[in-house]
């Protein structure tokens, strides 16, 4: 029997003994993090699916994985033999887990759904109406004998342009303005931002697994750290054991007054604790999210510097890749990813990648979140398209860039897709829009060239990016889903339209953009974007007939600025090569 099918059957035996009708596992952790530490990769352990977004439902006669369009191809491959069926999300005919459970239960309140309350958000449980929910923390530990422990990596302090005490004072003012006396922060990036600390508890994310409680008098950090790994002086911050949160809250319940917390990142176990102990709680989005999203002048300056250094590494990588293939050297997808990491490693404040590099040739790139094999990776040939989506974590910022590169002769369809996606990228990057505009209101600017040719992509067009924090950061984004959060000066978003053709190729062009002021007039206050990413777009396979004059003007100006900014840091060979790559098109 398939190892995953065997694990699911073990779980079903327990379900029968407990009288449970369904068990739900989400691909998250006690903080509703996008990327969990290995200990909480429960969906992967049970099903074999390694995608970043997947939820699993097990009943006595069905096992289903819910994931979005980025992972359909990957899921079909990885779930084979496990007995797990793919349920597609972000498609018109989607049936999400709450609806599916409702259909299974037929309104029977005795239908019992068990879940690991530590790894399910309060918002998610609230959506499961009409059934009985049973919370069993660390449910899988009964079967997962070699389950990893909660990580404890060194904590260090960073410079962010704002002292932690200033941030704490600001947050206390927000509490007062909203009639609250205390706040429990549960999102890991909120906590890291508030304290100006970083760690490496989660791969690619400089975060420390913890909770932060701020009252009018105290700041208490609940973190699983020994004294030896906290080497910074957290003046005025009391450090308490991670597992002591509920006990400490209970002992100080009277002094907490009205407690603010965010149900989007609050796990169900803590919610139950609040409810059972009659805490006065207010559930609202964390105020830290919006404040963190708007970068201050220091963060903007540093992010521009980190993008400059990252771009130098990218151009050296792309030069090496082209020359290696021209010289007949054998280069695999993994070799290419490793060389890019080598180039970044030579940058002084490089702290690691911001996500696993997607190094994808040909049909591999048709999977938007392709995982490059560590062994036996496909070999790059001197034809077709190669896609590289990669990012770096630097003390001075976080980067995320995608370039699709022609390795030789390309088909007319590859050229057309390449050009249409670039048109979409330029459409968003060159936008000017009124203050108060949300990302969902301008998402179509990146899709119109594709829609006109009856093509589309299933993922979002843009996500927020942190300052040496998460590569994906809210609350702003650019996607079709409704999100009323306005784009504000100082916010950073990605611009990454794409086209994916199963079995053939994939194309994606991505820059990070800074939201900037564009002036005001009798019609209002206007905003625009400034590219942070500086790396040329290859023009050698562009179908110039598909670009209008404004698009050509934008592209030529962008490529010229890449050369102007990077050439002083490149040797003569690479400088001459980049000069050719950035020549204006007609």
């Amino acid at each position: 029997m398939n190892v995953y099918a065997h694990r699911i059957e073990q779980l079903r035996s327990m379900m029968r003994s407990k009288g449970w009708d369904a068990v739900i596992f989400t691909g998250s952790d006690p903080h509703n993090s996008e990327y969990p530490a290995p200990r909480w990769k429960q969906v992967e352990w049970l099903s074999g699916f390694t995608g970043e977004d997947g939820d699993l439902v097990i009943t006595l006669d069905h096992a289903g994985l819910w994931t979005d369009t980025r992972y359909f191809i990957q899921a079909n491959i990885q779930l084979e033999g496990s007995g797990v069926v793919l349920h597609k999300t972000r498609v018109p005919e989607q049936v999400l887990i709450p609806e599916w459970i409702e259909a299974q239960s037929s309104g029977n309140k005795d239908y019992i759904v068990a879940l690991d309350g530590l790894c399910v958000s309060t918002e998610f449980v609230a959506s499961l109406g009409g059934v009985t929910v049973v919370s069993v923390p660390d449910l899988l530990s009964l079967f997962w004998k070699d389950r990893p422990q909660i990580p404890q990596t060194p904590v260090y302090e960073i410079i962010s342009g704002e002292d932690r005490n200033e941030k704490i004072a600001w947050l206390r003012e927000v509490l007062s303005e909203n009639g609250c006396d205390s706040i429990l922060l549960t999102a890991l990036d909120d906590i890291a931002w508030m304290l100006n600390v970083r760690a490496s508890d989660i791969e690619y994310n400089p975060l420390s697994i913890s909770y932060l409680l701020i009252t009018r008098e105290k700041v208490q950090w609940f973190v699983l750290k020994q004294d030896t790994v906290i080497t910074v002086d957290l003046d005025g911050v009391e450090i308490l054991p991670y597992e002591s949160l509920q006990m400490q809250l209970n002992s100080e319940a009277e002094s907490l007054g009205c407690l603010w917390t965010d149900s989007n990142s609050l796990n169900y176990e803590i919610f139950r604790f609040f409810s059972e102990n009659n805490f006065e709680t207010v559930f609202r989005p964390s105020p830290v999210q919006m404040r963190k999203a708007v970068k201050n002048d220091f963060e903007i300056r540093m992010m521009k510097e980190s993008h400059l250094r990252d771009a130098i590494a990218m151009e050296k990588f792309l030069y090496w890749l082209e020359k290696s293939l021209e010289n007949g050297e054998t280069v695999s997808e993994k070799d290419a990813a490793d060389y890019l990491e080598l180039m970044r490693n030579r940058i002084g404040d490089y702290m690691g990648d911001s996500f696993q590099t997607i190094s994808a040739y040909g049909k591999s790139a048709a999977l938007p979140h392709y995982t490059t094999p560590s062994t036996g990776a496909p070999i790059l040939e001197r034809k077709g398209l190669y896609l590289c989506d990669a990012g770096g974590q630097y003390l001075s910022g976080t980067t995320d860039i995608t370039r699709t590169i022609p390795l030789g002769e390309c088909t007319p369809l590859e050229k057309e897709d390449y050009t249409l996606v670039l048109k979409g990228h330029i459409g968003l990057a060159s936008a000017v829009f009124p203050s108060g505009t949300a990302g969902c209101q301008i998402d179509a600017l990146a899709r119109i060239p594709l829609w006109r040719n009856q093509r589309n992509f299933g993922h979002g067009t843009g996500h927020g990016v942190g300052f040496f924090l998460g590569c994906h950061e809210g609350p702003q984004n650019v996607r079709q889903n409704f999100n009323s959060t306005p784009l504000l000066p100082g916010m950073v978003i990605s611009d990454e339209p794409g086209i994916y053709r199963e079995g053939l190729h994939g194309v994606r062009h991505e820059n990070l953009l800074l939201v900037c002021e564009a002036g005001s007039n009798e019609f209002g206050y206007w905003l625009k974007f400034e590219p942070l990413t500086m790396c040329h777009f290859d023009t050698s396979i562009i179908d110039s007939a598909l670009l209008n004059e404004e698009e050509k003007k934008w592209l030529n100006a962008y490529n010229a600025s890449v050369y102007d900014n990077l050439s002083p840091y490149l040797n003569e060979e690479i400088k001459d090569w980049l000069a050719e790559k950035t020549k204006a098109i007609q």
Side-chain angles (χ1 to χ4, degrees):
M1 179 184 287
N2 176 286
V3 62
Y4 304 110
H6 175 69
R7 290 171 180 173
I8 290 171
E9 283 307 312
Q10 282 185 297
L11 178 61
R12 283 180 172 143
S13 294
M14 181 180 183
M15 292 170 64
R16 294 185 186 97
S17 69
K18 299 287 187 180
W20 299 340
D21 296 291
V23 180
I24 299 176
F25 295 97
T26 63
S28 192
D29 64 5
H31 307 272
N32 202 28
S33 303
E34 181 181 12
Y35 302 98
R39 175 176 179 79
W40 291 296
K41 292 186 177 182
Q42 301 181 95
V43 171
E44 179 179 336
W45 188 83
L46 261 180
S47 69
F49 175 71
T50 61
E52 295 161 4
D53 186 5
D55 298 328
L56 191 64
V57 178
I58 309 294
T59 68
L60 295 177
D61 58 6
H62 184 82
L65 175 86
W66 274 254
T67 193
D68 64 53
T69 54
R70 295 171 296 171
Y71 302 104
F72 291 167
I73 301 172
Q74 175 181 339
N76 282 324
I77 295 170
Q78 293 183 325
L79 297 178
E80 187 174 357
S82 68
V84 180
V85 176
L86 172 63
H87 291 250
K88 298 180 177 181
T89 66
R90 294 186 190 170
V91 293
E93 66 275 15
Q94 71 177 9
V95 178
L96 300 179
I97 289 176
E99 303 166 77
W100 191 85
I101 289 290
E102 183 180 5
Q104 301 303 304
S105 66
S106 301
N108 180 4
K109 291 186 177 181
D110 293 329
Y111 189 92
I112 299 175
V113 176
L115 42 78
D116 181 347
L118 286 172
C119 296
V120 180
S121 73
T122 303
E123 287 286 315
F124 180 82
V125 176
S127 70
L128 299 173
V131 298
T132 298
V133 174
V134 176
S135 177
V136 186
D138 290 326
L139 168 60
L140 278 188
S141 292
L142 297 169
F143 314 106
W144 193 351
K145 299 304 180 183
D146 58 348
R147 186 175 186 179
Q149 297 298 309
I150 299 174
Q152 298 187 52
T153 58
V155 173
Y156 52 95
E157 189 172 16
I158 66 151
I159 299 171
S160 70
E162 187 174 8
D163 181 82
R164 77 170 59 86
N165 290 321
E166 294 175 334
K167 295 179 178 180
I168 292 167
W170 159 77
L171 188 52
R172 283 175 171 152
E173 286 183 16
V174 173
L175 291 176
S176 295
E177 291 168 0
N178 286 270
C180 294
D181 304 290
S182 57
I183 186 168
L184 177 66
L185 298 179
T186 53
L188 302 184
D189 56 341
D190 281 7
I191 296 167
W193 182 87
M194 281 296 305
L195 297 179
N196 284 340
V197 296
R198 302 293 187 266
S200 303
D201 286 1
I202 299 177
E203 192 174 19
Y204 308 119
N205 292 264
L207 305 171
S208 179
I209 294 167
S210 57
Y211 299 99
L212 185 65
L213 178 67
I214 298 178
T215 70
R216 296 189 185 279
E217 293 81 30
K218 296 180 180 180
V219 179
Q220 296 176 321
W221 190 26
F222 298 85
V223 59
L224 189 69
K225 300 293 181 189
Q226 305 299 327
D227 292 341
T228 53
V229 297
I230 298 183
T231 58
V232 297
D233 179 17
L234 297 176
D235 48 317
V237 178
E238 182 181 1
I239 299 175
L240 297 168
Y242 179 71
E243 65 279 3
S244 71
L245 174 65
Q246 293 187 16
M247 180 179 66
Q248 191 69 26
L249 288 170
N250 225 1
S251 68
E252 300 189 10
E254 292 185 7
S255 65
L256 295 179
C258 181
L259 175 68
W260 181 340
T261 192
D262 189 340
S263 57
N264 287 304
S265 57
L266 182 74
N267 68 57
Y268 182 60
E269 270 301 296
I270 298 178
F271 172 79
R272 285 179 60 226
F273 168 79
F274 286 150
S275 299
E276 291 170 0
N277 291 278
N278 298 313
F279 276 73
E280 183 185 356
T281 50
V282 172
F283 298 102
R284 296 174 185 163
S286 165
V288 177
Q289 290 282 304
M290 184 67 86
R291 176 72 183 274
K292 172 168 53 67
V294 178
K295 309 301 184 277
N296 62 41
D297 290 343
F298 174 85
E299 290 170 325
I300 292 171
R301 186 170 71 253
M302 290 297 100
M303 289 190 79
K304 288 181 177 181
E305 290 186 13
S306 64
H307 277 80
L308 172 65
R309 296 193 297 274
D310 193 73
I312 294 168
M314 275 296 299
E315 295 292 10
K316 289 179 177 179
F317 159 68
L318 294 174
Y319 172 82
W320 166 84
L321 179 62
E322 182 175 304
K323 297 305 177 185
S324 296
L325 295 179
E326 285 180 0
N327 294 333
E329 299 177 25
T330 300
V331 179
S332 71
E333 292 175 344
K334 181 65 165 57
D335 294 332
D338 288 345
Y339 192 86
L340 176 55
E341 183 179 13
L342 175 65
M343 292 297 97
R344 284 188 166 132
N345 255 315
R346 294 176 179 175
I347 300 172
D349 65 346
Y350 173 73
M351 304 297 288
D353 290 342
S354 57
F355 55 92
Q356 184 174 357
T357 296
I358 300 171
S359 177
Y361 173 61
K363 64 181 181 181
S364 299
L367 285 74
H369 278 226
Y370 173 71
T371 300
T372 305
S374 56
T375 59
I379 301 299
L380 277 55
E381 302 176 37
R382 293 197 65 190
K383 63 178 182 178
L385 298 173
Y386 166 73
L387 184 153
C388 183
D389 185 349
Q393 290 284 15
Y394 303 92
L395 289 173
S396 52
T398 301
T399 68
D400 182 4
I401 175 175
T402 306
R403 287 295 182 267
T404 304
I405 307 299
L407 299 184
E409 183 178 353
C410 292
T411 67
L413 183 60
E414 287 172 327
K415 294 177 181 180
E416 189 173 82
D417 282 348
Y418 182 100
T419 308
L420 290 175
V421 174
L422 186 55
K423 279 175 70 72
H425 176 94
I426 295 170
L428 181 60
S430 58
V432 177
F433 49 96
S435 175
T437 299
C440 60
Q441 294 174 296
I442 57 175
D443 176 85
L445 295 176
R447 297 179 188 268
I448 287 173
L450 307 181
W451 288 349
R452 283 176 175 159
N453 291 272
Q454 298 183 340
R455 298 167 210 194
N456 202 8
F457 55 96
H459 56 74
T461 302
H463 55 80
V465 179
F467 173 74
F468 186 32
L469 274 174
C471 188
H472 293 170
E473 176 181 277
Q476 80 279 16
N477 58 34
V478 180
R479 60 185 320 127
Q480 291 177 287
N481 311 60
F482 178 72
N483 177 354
S484 62
T485 304
L487 297 175
L488 302 176
M491 284 183 170
V492 175
I493 65 158
S494 67
D495 175 3
E496 49 182 310
I499 288 179
Y500 310 95
R501 297 185 183 273
E502 186 173 354
L504 293 176
H505 61 262
V507 178
R508 186 162 63 252
H509 300 305
E510 177 186 17
N511 279 354
L512 297 191
L513 308 177
L514 175 68
V515 183
C516 301
E517 297 177 353
S520 60
N521 57 19
E522 67 271 29
F523 297 102
Y525 174 50
W526 297 88
L527 302 175
K528 62 181 180 180
F529 294 119
E530 174 188 340
L532 291 176
T533 306
M534 287 181 283
C535 180
H536 77 278
F537 288 106
D538 197 303
T539 60
S540 64
I541 66 161
I542 286 178
D543 183 347
S544 59
L546 294 176
L547 297 181
N548 61 38
E549 290 306 311
E550 285 300 311
E551 291 163 344
K552 291 177 184 177
K553 181 179 177 181
W554 185 97
L555 179 59
N556 288 336
Y558 177 81
N559 275 349
S561 72
V562 168
Y563 180 80
D564 292 342
N565 282 290
L566 302 187
S567 57
Y569 305 97
L570 302 173
N571 65 33
E572 290 303 317
E573 287 184 3
I574 302 179
K575 185 188 299 185
D576 291 344
W577 169 84
L578 185 59
E580 286 295 316
K581 292 292 182 184
T582 55
K583 277 186 175 179
I585 63 170
Q586 302 302 316

